[in-house]
Amino acid sequence: MTSPVYIVDDDRDVRSSISFMLSTSGMRTRAFASGHDFIDSLDHLEPGCVLLDIRMPDMDGVEVLEELRNRAIEWPVVMMTGHGEVSLAVQTMKLGAIDFLEKPFEEDGLRASLARAFTVLEETETQSERRREATSRVAALTAREADVLQGLLAGFSNKMIAHRLGISLRTAEMHRANMMQRLGAKSLAEAIQLASDAGLEPLS
């Protein structure tokens, strides 16, 4: 099932016209009349693409975008701007928006922006799943196995890791073998990639 498009605009006519336009192509949409309504609903929404108006009362598009980033929500955002707001739109792209559309925009322009947004969303979801999987596998390691993995991430040899951890070389090699087995890693490169994806810090 295609991910939804969230339309955030205080103009009811804009919300209605965009919703109708996208629904004719089989896209799922959900509209919000304010930035606050959208932010308040985030905990109950599935990942999707966001069409976000830049000028809204109480909470404008820039503030919504900042709140998304504060919550580490990486959904692709396309800003909708009025005439003469291009400089402000560029500012939002520095905050993470992937594109902006000037009102009134053509249907083809909207579809092109959303096509790009869906591609970004798919890539982001793939990366997030990889991070979750890596984090789960690394979390299954014992504390000492994790230490050895951090040493390998730092580029240390088994001998250096043993010295840093105050253990024998044989013990370090045993922990390394157990770590590789528990991770399900078939090579050192795969183990390092899992450590990196999980956000593990190198041994200092």
Side-chain angles (χ1 to χ4, degrees):
M1 183 181 293
T2 306
S3 299
V5 176
Y6 301 117
I7 305 161
V8 188
D9 196 308
D10 61 309
D11 188 320
R12 183 176 60 184
D13 291 339
V14 170
R15 297 195 305 271
S16 297
S17 62
I18 293 177
S19 294
F20 176 77
M21 186 188 306
L22 298 181
S23 65
T24 59
S25 298
M27 293 187 192
R28 291 188 295 138
T29 64
R30 181 169 172 181
F32 296 88
S34 72
H36 282 300
D37 286 348
F38 176 60
I39 294 298
D40 289 344
S41 300
L42 282 175
D43 291 341
H44 309 290
L45 300 178
E46 63 182 292
C49 302
V50 185
L51 285 173
L52 178 61
D53 189 35
I54 206 165
R55 292 286 187 191
M56 294 183 291
D58 298 326
M59 188 177 199
D60 64 23
V62 174
E63 292 171 312
V64 172
L65 194 57
E66 289 174 338
E67 183 61 23
L68 289 174
R69 300 304 167 241
N70 289 339
R71 298 190 184 201
I73 295 176
E74 300 178 335
W75 302 347
V77 176
V78 175
M79 303 301 300
M80 298 183 291
T81 73
H83 179 69
E85 294 177 334
V86 173
S87 61
L88 190 55
V90 171
Q91 176 189 340
T92 66
M93 295 187 74
K94 292 179 181 178
L95 290 171
I98 67 164
D99 203 356
F100 66 90
L101 296 168
E102 285 189 88
K103 297 178 181 178
F105 43 79
E106 298 293 330
E107 183 174 344
D108 287 346
L110 173 61
R111 294 187 188 282
S113 289
L114 284 177
R116 182 183 172 204
F118 277 118
T119 297
V120 171
L121 180 63
E122 183 176 353
E123 293 171 350
T124 300
E125 287 297 289
T126 299
Q127 292 169 359
S128 296
E129 177 58 33
R130 190 172 67 240
R131 286 196 296 267
R132 286 192 292 269
E133 172 67 17
T135 300
S136 175
R137 290 163 73 173
V138 169
L141 299 177
T142 66
R144 190 55 90 192
E145 288 166 0
D147 289 339
V148 171
L149 180 55
Q150 287 179 288
L152 294 172
L153 190 59
F156 297 157
S157 65
N158 287 350
K159 186 175 181 179
M160 293 172 65
I161 292 172
H163 177 72
R164 292 292 183 104
L165 299 181
I167 58 179
S168 70
L169 175 58
R170 182 176 177 81
T171 300
E173 291 172 341
M174 179 192 69
H175 285 310
R176 174 171 171 168
N178 290 341
M179 175 269 294
M180 293 290 288
Q181 184 176 22
R182 204 182 301 272
L183 283 179
K186 295 179 175 60
S187 67
L188 175 58
E190 185 179 351
I192 294 299
Q193 186 61 59
L194 284 167
S196 179
D197 288 343
L200 202 64
E201 294 292 331
L203 191 66
S204 58

